[in-house]
């Protein structure tokens, strides 16, 4: 529609024309101070927080709204501030949001007499997208306000249930007289008296819930209500019927009273504009019609119309765009329409930043209304739930001491690394720990490791002494790799033998399973303990710790390898039956909940740093490592070398065994991966069936009526599953639907939908549009899906139904369409879910927005390495000596090789490994650099050989493998 004064929604502009490129800083950028205050007269501005306290901020009148907003977020240590805004009443008595780009003096006519309210501005569809407890607490306060003022309407059951969660977080566990007295003295909803008994009944079932868990359940109920996050704007249709318009993450909604009568999803809206009092929605042409449909609504005034249009612009940009839109070029002569543009991070950028950020805040602390906390370092007596605590509150979790004022750690293992700059919290360095998070859940797999400086820092003098003292021959370093990796392997065998001891004493464990594990791993552990001792003795002689090396008899390793590999042959006979152990363990866990609990508890121990069933396949993988080491020795030695003949004979022996087991290894790796994925998925039956092969898992954005939503996709040789992850203690992924591969086609659709790296999966019953994070990711997915489709044409594949009956034929959108009554049953929200390991590749792919194929997994088991490295952070001075194990696409950090479990880990998916440039001033030999976004780590190895090996194995995890893609990974799917 060509109109003289249209104001249209635009995805191509990001800030007001002519404005400076950046004003202020993002609330998410750690370690930065707020921008310098512009010169001019200062004014004190009052901001009312969500807990109804008021704070004063001194600011220049010429400062932008963004500067004030950043000060407010900084005051609260709020990272996810982009969901919030400051609203105030303008001259027309309308509530409007403070513009981040405009100077404050142009927005507030009487700043001294204006109270700004800090409120939630953008309500996401799922509070699992809120990654910080403080953010969820603020959302809970907003829900509490909306309930109290009657804005969030719902039935009595939902209202009572939500109030029960609110008072659980405020006064703690149920005590009848205290609860009744509290409800008589405090109103949470209009007309509360008739519901007091029902509220108390619900509250009595919340026993044991922490305030954070109560917030979670409150938001879980609220987000399913039709009026959740709704701010009504009065309007009329063409017939004069009184209506209300509102905007949500899905699009523009139309209400009559408190009933939604129409919805215009963003995918259907072509253009939003206004002309005077008229608000216009231009829809995309219907598939069955060539005409365009324009809907018109009449609002009370042009100002009302523009205020609502601005909110629509911001909601559309925040929830629908990948990144902050770029500004349009400034017109040469004149401009038409409003110059208002969305400025700020999109939701996708917020989520990515917080997940990947090294900035970890001090845990958010609250004090219950009835609390009286006294500690040796301070005292806190509060009458209500505190948002910011002026006093010291101590929280001790898993051996770590957290202080709100003054960051202290009493952990014997972990502390802030000297000179390594993380985020600043009120001018103090934040502390990032590598153990459990303060809420008891496992930390994000992206937690950057920080270890104690007590791990020795090597000096340059020590380096020089070491170079002169130890051998420099390449064969020595190859032999040393055998030693370091054997140390890790023996530790891994000890994990399985300790598991056998843990479950072997329980009656729930079948005797056949006990015998299978014992007969396989006890002899292996005993043998390799002796083998390791021999290798250690040989290396000690080779290094010259006695005079024996002068004769030259001990500067070789082939004789030790040949003798022990021949002794190992009888023990490898049972290795082809490893799949039977995996299946029997799975079967026994199904038959006994007690055994299942024992296995789960063992797997959550720190010593079990990777999934348990990966340890069970370690003996097979170790044979491949012996073969690789011997190949490198044979390639290095001349045929005349004293060690060559023994190495060649040992290589022939181990190659024979590896070739015999190769076929069963491929099947066992696939079985292990299916069993691991089964633990990560909710809503799947019969995932592990004969004939099903895993191909790829990873993160894609799925296009629906609600816009692009992050989903986890799992590709098998017969079906594709798509899932989402809830913010629950289980860390599992809930299946939303399945796409059978039989009859499926795939096509690129970036131009069709205007979404970068998009492609469409066209099934016989359902089509799905998805977008990858990059062109490379899109190509990997399309290649594997096409291959799987071809496989499905020539193979019958598994015939069993995959999904549970409750999820069969489930549409992705229907998962969000539950009624508010679905959440009112207390048992649904009060069950204590069992904890689940959250550092598997599934979760790393979710956080890093990438994917991993079975080809990559197969190559990864061949590329494992252990040894000492020196590590340095980007802004630190000293080098930290660590024992580092590389396996399962991750680096695991220990203080020494004697440690039983790692202190920290660093998943490497998405990282790049390079050599530092001259400008980085790393004037040391054999240094490689790991880099991902703002994360930079430097590592020093001891020789050219070890440098090359670390670069090689890390590249196998950071660079998608293209070798053998034609064969599809050792003919895995042939």
């Amino acid at each position: 529609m060509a109109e003289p004064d249209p104001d249209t929604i635009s995805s191509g502009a990001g800030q007001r024309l002519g404005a400076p490129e950046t004003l202020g800083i993002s609330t998410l950028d750690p370690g930065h101070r707020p921008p310098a205050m512009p010169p001019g007269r200062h004014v004190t501005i009052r901001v009312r927080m969500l807990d109804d306290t008021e704070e004063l901020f001194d600011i220049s009148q010429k400062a932008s709204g963004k500067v004030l907003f950043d000060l407010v977020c900084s005051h609260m240590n709020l990272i996810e501030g982009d969901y919030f805004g400051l609203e105030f009443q303008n001259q027309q008595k309308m509530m409007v949001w403070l513009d981040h780009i405009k100077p404050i003096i142009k927005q507030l006519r009487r700043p001294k007499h204006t109270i700004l309210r800090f409120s939630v501005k953008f309500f996401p569809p799922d509070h699992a997208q809120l990654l910080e407890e403080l953010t969820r607490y603020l959302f809970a306060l907003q829900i509490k306000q909306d309930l109290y003022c009657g804005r969030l309407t719902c039935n009595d059951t939902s209202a009572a249930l939500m109030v029960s969660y609110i008072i659980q977080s405020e006064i703690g566990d149920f005590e009848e007289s205290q609860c009744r007295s509290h409800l008589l003295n405090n109103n949470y909803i209009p007309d509360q008296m008739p519901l007091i008994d029902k509220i108390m009944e619900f509250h009595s079932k919340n026993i044991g819930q922490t305030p954070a868990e109560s917030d979670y359940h409150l938001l879980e109920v609220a987000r399913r209500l039709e009026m959740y996050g709704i701010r009504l704007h009065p309007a009329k249709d063409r017939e004069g019927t009184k209506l209300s318009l509102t905007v949500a993450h899905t699009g523009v909604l139309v209400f009559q009273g408190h009933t939604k009568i129409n919805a215009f999803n963003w995918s259907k809206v072509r253009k939003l504009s206004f002309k005077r009092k008229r608000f216009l929605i231009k829809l995309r042409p219907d598939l069955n019609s060539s005409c365009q449909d324009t809907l018109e609504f009449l609002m009370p005034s042009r100002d009302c119309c523009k205020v609502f249009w601005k909110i629509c612009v911001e909601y559309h940009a925040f929830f629908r765009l990948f990144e902050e839109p770029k500004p349009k070029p400034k017109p040469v002569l004149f401009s038409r329409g409003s110059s208002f543009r969305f400025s700020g991070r999109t939701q996708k950028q917020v989520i990515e930043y917080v997940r990947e950020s090294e900035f970890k805040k001090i845990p958010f602390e609250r004090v219950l209304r009835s609390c009286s906390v006294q500690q040796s370092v301070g005292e806190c007596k509060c009458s209500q739930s505190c948002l910011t605590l002026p006093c010291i509150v101590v929280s001790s979790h898993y051996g770590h001491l957290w202080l709100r004022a003054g960051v202290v750690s009493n952990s014997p293992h972990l502390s802030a690394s000297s000179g390594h700059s993380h985020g600043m919290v009120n001018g103090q360095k934040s502390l990032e720990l590598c153990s459990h998070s303060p809420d008891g859940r496992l930390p994000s797999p992206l937690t950057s490791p920080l270890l104690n400086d007590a791990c020795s820092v090597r000096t340059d003098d020590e380096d020089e002494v070491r170079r002169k003292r130890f051998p420099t021959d390449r064969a020595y370093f190859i032999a040393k790799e055998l030693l370091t990796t054997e140390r890790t392997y023996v530790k891994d065998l000890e994990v399985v033998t300790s598991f056998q001891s843990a479950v072997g004493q329980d009656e729930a464990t079948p005797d056949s399973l006990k015998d299978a594990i014992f007969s396989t791993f006890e002899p292996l552990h005993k043998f390799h303990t002796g083998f390791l001792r021999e290798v250690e003795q040989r290396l000690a002689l080779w290094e010259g710790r006695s005079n024996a090396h002068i004769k030259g008899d001990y500067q070789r390793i082939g004789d030790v390898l040949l003798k022990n590999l021949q002794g190992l042959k009888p023990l490898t006979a049972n290795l082809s039956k490893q799949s039977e152990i995996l299946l029997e363990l799975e079967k026994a866990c199904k038959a006994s909940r007690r055994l299942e609990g024992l296995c789960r508890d063992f797997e959550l121990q720190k010593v079990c740093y990777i999934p348990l069933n990966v340890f069970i396949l370690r003996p097979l993988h170790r044979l491949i490592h012996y073969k690789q080491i011997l190949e490198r020795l044979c390639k290095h030695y001349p045929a005349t070398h004293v060690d060559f003949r023994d190495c060649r004979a040992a290589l022939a022996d181990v190659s024979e065994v590896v070739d015999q087991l190769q076929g069963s290894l491929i099947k066992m790796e696939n079985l292990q991966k299916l069993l691991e994925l089964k633990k990560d998925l909710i809503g799947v039956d019969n995932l592990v069936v004969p004939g099903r092969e895993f191909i790829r898992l990873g993160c894609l954005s799925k296009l629906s009526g609600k816009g692009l939503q992050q989903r986890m996709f799992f590709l098998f040789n017969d079906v594709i599953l798509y899932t989402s992850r809830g913010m629950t203690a289980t860390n599992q992924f809930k299946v939303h639907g399945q796409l059978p591969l039989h009859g499926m086609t795939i096509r690129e659709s970036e131009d069709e939908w205007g979404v970068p790296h998009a492609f469409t999966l066209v099934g016989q019953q359902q089509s799905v549009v998805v977008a990858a994070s990059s062109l490379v990711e899109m190509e990997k997915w399309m290649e594997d899906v096409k291959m799987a489709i071809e496989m499905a044409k020539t193979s019958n594949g598994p015939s069993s139904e995959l999904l549970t009956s409750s999820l069969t034929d489930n549409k992705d959108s229907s998962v969000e369409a539950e009624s508010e009554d679905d959440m009112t049953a207390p048992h649904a929200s009060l069950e204590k879910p069992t904890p689940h390991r959250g550092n598997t590749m599934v979760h790393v792919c979710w956080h890093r927005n990438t994917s991993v194929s079975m080809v990559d997994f197969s190559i990864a088991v061949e590329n494992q390495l252990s040894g000492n490295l020196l590590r340095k952070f980007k802004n630190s001075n000293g080098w930290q000596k660590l024992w580092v194990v590389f396996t399962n696409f991750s680096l695991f950090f220990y203080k020494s090789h004697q440690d039983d479990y790692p202190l920290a880990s660093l998943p490497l998916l998405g990282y790049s490994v390079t050599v530092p440039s001259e400008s980085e001033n790393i004037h040391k030999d054999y240094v490689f650099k790991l880099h991902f976004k703002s994360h930079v780590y430097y590592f020093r190895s001891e020789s050219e050989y070890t440098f090359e090996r670390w670069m090689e194995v890390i590249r196998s995890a950071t660079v998608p493998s293209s070798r053998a893609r034609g064969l599809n990974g050792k003919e895995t799917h042939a």
Side-chain angles (χ1 to χ4, degrees):
M1 286 180 66
E3 298 195 13
D5 183 27
D7 290 88
T8 61
I9 196 168
S10 171
S11 61
Q15 64 183 48
R16 187 176 295 282
L17 298 175
E21 187 171 349
T22 56
L23 285 171
I25 61 167
S26 168
T27 58
L28 296 179
D29 289 339
H32 290 176
R33 296 181 180 277
M37 198 68 70
R41 205 179 88 188
H42 278 227
V43 65
T44 299
I45 294 180
R46 283 192 295 168
V47 176
R48 183 168 295 160
M49 301 299 186
L50 281 163
D51 61 352
D52 285 331
T53 60
E54 288 189 5
E55 300 288 343
L56 302 179
F57 296 91
D58 187 60
I59 193 168
S60 168
Q61 291 190 48
K62 293 182 180 178
S64 67
K66 183 70 163 65
V67 174
L68 174 60
F69 184 72
D70 284 343
L71 284 175
V72 175
C73 292
S74 175
H75 171 74
M76 292 188 289
N77 292 331
L78 177 62
I79 298 179
E80 297 173 290
D82 301 71
Y83 289 100
F84 302 87
L86 295 172
E87 57 180 347
F88 63 97
Q89 194 174 59
N90 65 7
Q91 291 176 263
Q92 290 77 34
K93 306 297 182 184
M94 296 170 54
M95 294 301 293
V96 296
W97 294 104
L98 187 72
D99 192 314
H100 282 195
I101 295 176
K102 279 186 180 181
I104 290 174
I105 195 172
K106 291 189 176 181
Q107 302 187 67
L108 306 181
R109 186 176 181 186
R110 302 174 66 193
K112 290 183 181 180
H113 304 285
T114 302
I115 298 178
L116 285 82
R117 294 193 66 97
F118 180 83
S119 305
V120 176
K121 187 174 185 179
F122 300 113
F123 290 81
D126 186 356
H127 59 279
Q129 295 168 333
L130 307 175
L131 304 181
E132 291 252 313
E133 183 187 338
L134 171 58
T135 314
R136 293 191 293 275
Y137 170 63
L138 294 173
F139 266 73
L141 290 179
Q142 184 70 66
I143 298 303
K144 179 181 171 183
Q145 283 191 5
D146 291 351
L147 274 173
Y148 177 76
C149 69
R151 187 186 305 180
L152 181 58
T153 58
C154 57
N155 62 37
D156 289 349
T157 305
S158 294
L161 184 61
M162 286 191 286
V163 173
S164 77
Y165 291 133
I166 293 172
I167 61 176
Q168 174 71 23
S169 68
E170 291 185 348
I171 67 174
D173 286 345
F174 176 76
E175 196 282 314
E176 185 173 359
S177 60
Q178 180 197 20
C179 179
R180 186 175 296 277
S181 174
H182 184 79
L183 288 171
L184 290 173
N185 293 317
N186 297 273
N187 277 335
Y188 294 97
I189 50 177
D191 198 20
Q192 179 175 288
M193 286 299 293
L195 295 179
I196 283 182
D197 289 337
K198 183 172 283 191
I199 293 170
M200 292 176 63
E201 180 187 350
F202 283 134
H203 185 204
S204 67
K205 297 175 183 178
N206 295 343
I207 290 177
Q209 282 185 19
T210 65
E213 290 172 332
S214 297
D215 289 349
Y216 182 90
H217 293 309
L218 171 65
L219 296 174
E220 187 69 24
V221 178
R223 76 180 182 95
R224 286 175 164 80
L225 301 178
E226 194 163 66
M227 297 299 292
Y228 170 67
I230 295 302
R231 304 293 183 261
L232 298 176
H233 298 258
K236 294 180 181 179
D237 62 13
R238 288 180 175 176
E239 286 73 39
T241 305
K242 288 185 178 180
L243 304 169
S244 296
L245 298 181
T246 188
V247 62
H249 64 277
T250 55
V252 180
L253 311 178
V254 182
F255 278 77
Q256 192 165 28
H258 289 94
T259 303
K260 183 171 67 176
I261 61 172
N262 212 339
F264 305 104
N265 288 344
W266 295 124
S267 57
K268 298 177 182 178
V269 176
R270 181 171 175 267
K271 178 180 174 182
L272 293 178
S273 61
F274 70 93
K275 184 176 181 182
R276 299 182 181 88
K277 294 183 179 183
R278 291 184 295 144
F279 185 80
L280 306 171
I281 303 176
K282 184 175 289 187
L283 302 177
R284 295 185 184 277
D286 189 86
L287 295 176
N288 302 320
S289 172
S290 59
C291 64
Q292 295 184 358
D293 192 7
T294 301
L295 301 171
E296 182 179 309
F297 297 90
L298 192 67
M299 304 193 80
S301 67
R302 183 186 185 278
D303 289 335
C304 293
C305 219
K306 186 169 184 178
V307 165
F308 180 63
W309 174 81
K310 281 184 176 183
I311 297 172
C312 291
V313 170
E314 293 184 310
Y315 253 83
H316 174 268
F318 185 75
F319 287 109
R320 289 282 286 183
L321 301 187
F322 282 110
E323 58 186 22
E324 180 180 350
K326 300 294 185 294
K328 283 184 178 179
K330 192 173 183 177
V332 179
L333 298 175
F334 60 89
S335 63
R336 298 171 59 192
S338 171
S339 60
F340 176 78
R341 301 290 181 263
F342 172 77
S343 175
R345 295 182 193 263
T346 65
Q347 187 194 32
K348 186 176 186 296
Q349 288 177 306
V350 175
I351 292 173
E352 284 182 353
Y353 185 90
V354 178
R355 281 177 175 166
E356 303 298 339
S357 177
E358 294 184 12
F359 177 55
K360 302 292 178 187
K361 298 197 303 97
I362 305 170
F364 166 59
E365 297 287 353
R366 284 179 287 193
V367 182
L368 300 180
R369 283 179 181 266
S370 58
C371 80
S372 177
V373 180
Q374 295 185 357
Q375 300 287 353
S376 59
V377 292
E379 186 173 311
C380 174
K381 295 181 180 180
C382 302
S383 61
Q384 60 180 357
S385 184
C386 298
L387 177 59
T388 54
L389 302 180
C391 49
I392 298 176
V393 175
V394 179
S395 175
S396 178
H397 298 279
Y398 298 96
H400 305 298
L401 182 68
W402 299 84
L403 299 184
R404 289 290 292 180
V407 182
V408 178
S409 171
N410 73 342
S411 168
H413 302 299
L414 307 174
S415 69
S417 179
S418 63
H420 181 46
S421 174
H422 282 273
M424 304 293 288
V425 181
N426 286 344
Q428 301 165 346
K429 284 189 179 180
S430 66
L431 184 64
E432 183 176 76
L433 297 181
C434 313
S435 181
H436 289 73
S437 60
D439 62 0
R441 295 195 185 107
L442 289 169
S444 162
L446 308 178
T447 300
S448 171
L450 281 183
L451 303 183
N452 198 332
D453 284 335
C455 308
S456 61
V457 179
R458 185 190 294 172
T459 65
D460 292 334
D461 290 340
E462 289 177 70
D463 270 349
E464 189 60 33
V465 169
R466 196 178 189 289
R467 285 197 189 97
K468 291 178 180 177
R469 179 180 170 189
F470 291 133
T472 56
D473 180 37
R474 187 178 183 87
Y476 162 76
F477 291 110
I478 297 174
K480 191 170 182 181
E481 180 183 331
L482 171 66
L483 169 64
T484 56
T485 52
E486 190 71 11
R487 282 172 172 166
T488 297
Y489 176 54
V490 170
K491 285 285 187 184
D492 289 349
L493 288 176
E494 288 173 0
V495 172
V496 184
T497 55
S498 61
F499 169 72
Q500 188 271 334
S501 299
V503 301
Q505 300 172 0
D506 197 275
E507 296 178 356
T509 309
D511 291 338
S512 58
L513 178 61
K514 295 179 190 177
D515 295 341
I517 297 177
F518 184 85
S519 62
T520 300
F521 288 94
E522 280 292 340
L524 282 173
H525 180 249
K526 183 178 179 181
F527 173 85
H528 284 280
T529 302
F531 178 35
L532 174 60
R533 191 180 308 114
E534 288 188 41
V535 176
E536 287 176 332
Q537 292 169 351
R538 176 57 56 88
L539 265 291
L541 294 170
W542 197 333
E543 290 167 353
R545 297 177 192 176
S546 73
N547 293 328
H549 72 285
I550 297 174
K551 302 177 183 179
D553 293 339
Y554 299 106
Q555 294 187 349
R556 56 197 175 105
I557 197 68
D559 58 328
V560 177
L561 275 164
L562 178 60
K563 170 195 162 188
N564 281 277
L565 287 175
Q566 288 176 341
L568 182 63
K569 263 190 174 182
L571 300 180
T572 60
N574 292 332
L575 295 186
S576 60
K577 301 178 181 179
Q578 301 265 316
S579 58
E580 295 177 14
I581 296 178
L582 292 175
L583 285 171
E584 188 157 358
L585 179 59
E586 176 72 11
K587 181 181 177 182
C589 287
K590 272 187 176 180
S592 168
R593 296 190 66 176
R594 177 176 173 80
L595 178 61
E596 182 184 20
L598 288 172
C599 293
R600 182 177 59 246
D601 292 343
F602 181 85
E603 196 165 22
L604 288 172
Q605 293 180 23
K606 292 179 182 179
V607 71
C608 196
Y609 63 98
I610 53 178
L612 176 62
N613 55 21
V614 176
F615 287 105
I616 294 176
L617 295 188
R618 277 291 196 248
L620 287 163
H621 299 153
R622 188 59 181 155
L623 292 173
I624 297 173
H625 301 156
Y626 291 145
K627 181 181 176 183
Q628 292 172 336
I629 288 170
L630 284 162
E631 285 172 344
R632 283 194 286 273
L633 282 168
C634 289
K635 185 177 180 181
H636 169 70
Y637 285 136
T640 56
H641 194 280
V642 64
D643 207 24
F644 178 76
R645 181 179 295 178
D646 286 340
C647 286
R648 188 172 61 177
L651 177 60
D653 284 343
V654 75
S655 296
E656 179 186 350
V657 177
V658 168
D659 291 343
Q660 290 173 356
L661 296 173
Q662 187 66 54
S664 59
L665 176 60
I666 293 171
K667 295 177 182 177
M668 280 186 269
E669 286 177 350
N670 181 70
L671 172 62
Q672 181 271 320
K673 191 53 57 184
L674 291 175
L675 291 171
E676 184 181 327
L677 293 178
K678 183 181 177 183
K679 295 180 181 179
D680 281 307
L681 296 174
I682 296 175
V684 170
D685 282 340
N686 302 318
L687 182 66
V688 185
V689 294
R692 175 162 292 127
E693 295 177 18
F694 163 70
I695 299 176
R696 178 175 291 278
L697 63 85
C699 197
L700 295 168
S701 295
K702 180 177 175 291
L703 188 64
S704 68
K706 300 177 181 180
L708 286 168
Q709 294 182 311
Q710 186 179 11
R711 293 287 180 260
M712 197 72 185
F713 279 72
F714 298 83
L715 173 62
F716 302 93
N717 64 334
D718 62 322
V719 69
I720 299 175
L721 300 180
Y722 53 96
T723 70
S724 69
R725 197 187 81 165
M727 198 76 161
T728 65
T730 62
N731 278 322
Q732 291 169 289
F733 289 80
K734 182 178 181 180
V735 177
H736 283 217
Q738 61 178 341
L739 302 169
L741 293 181
H742 187 70
M744 178 183 285
T745 58
I746 182 174
R747 68 171 188 270
E748 289 189 42
S749 50
E750 181 173 331
D751 296 336
E752 180 182 351
W753 295 97
V755 177
H757 319 308
F759 57 96
T760 304
L761 303 169
V762 183
Q764 291 184 330
Q765 297 181 347
Q766 182 185 2
S767 296
V768 172
V769 180
V770 293
S773 59
S774 66
L775 178 61
V776 173
E777 277 292 313
M778 182 186 79
E779 290 173 346
K780 288 192 292 185
W781 273 106
M782 291 191 68
E783 179 182 347
D784 280 352
V785 172
K786 287 176 182 176
M787 175 203 68
I789 291 172
E790 289 302 314
M791 290 168 59
K793 290 179 181 177
T794 57
S795 171
N796 293 330
S799 57
S800 59
E801 181 59 47
L802 187 61
L803 300 189
T804 58
S805 57
S806 60
L807 285 171
T808 305
D809 299 324
N810 182 29
K811 300 285 185 177
D812 189 30
S813 58
S814 66
V815 175
E816 306 294 339
E818 303 167 51
S819 70
E820 60 182 83
D821 292 319
D822 293 339
M823 284 305 298
T824 58
H827 68 273
S829 56
L830 299 181
E831 284 182 352
K832 293 268 184 193
T834 54
H836 181 72
R837 182 176 292 279
N839 62 351
T840 62
M841 275 302 99
V842 183
H843 298 83
V844 177
C845 287
W846 175 265
H847 283 274
R848 295 269 168 86
N849 204 11
T850 185
S851 67
V852 179
S853 71
M854 192 63 211
V855 178
D856 299 320
F857 280 110
S858 297
I859 294 171
V861 299
E862 299 178 12
N863 290 285
Q864 299 184 17
L865 197 57
S866 307
N868 285 311
L869 287 175
L870 297 176
R871 186 185 62 180
K872 177 185 178 298
F873 294 109
K874 183 178 181 180
N875 299 317
S876 63
N877 297 319
W879 291 85
Q880 214 174 8
K881 185 179 179 181
L882 302 169
W883 176 260
V884 183
V885 174
F886 172 78
T887 186
N888 276 40
F889 303 93
S890 300
L891 293 177
F892 295 89
F893 299 94
Y894 303 73
K895 284 168 65 176
S896 74
H897 69 83
Q898 288 100 342
D899 290 355
D900 290 329
Y901 56 84
L903 298 174
S905 66
L906 181 67
L908 295 181
L909 287 181
Y911 271 80
S912 61
V913 56
T914 58
V915 178
S917 63
E918 285 291 328
S919 62
E920 291 172 274
N921 296 319
I922 307 292
H923 304 300
K924 302 291 180 184
D925 295 329
Y926 315 129
V927 176
F928 60 92
K929 170 186 173 183
L930 284 174
H931 178 231
F932 176 74
K933 295 187 178 180
S934 62
H935 307 226
V936 176
Y937 307 100
Y938 301 100
F939 293 90
R940 287 169 63 190
S941 51
E942 62 179 343
S943 69
E944 182 180 3
Y945 171 78
T946 51
F947 169 78
E948 291 171 355
R949 285 289 294 135
W950 279 107
M951 290 281 283
E952 179 185 351
V953 298
I954 290 175
R955 280 203 177 107
S956 73
T958 58
V959 179
S961 174
S962 57
R963 72 177 176 90
R965 282 189 71 81
L967 296 175
N968 205 25
K970 301 185 293 186
E971 302 179 358
T972 304
H973 308 293

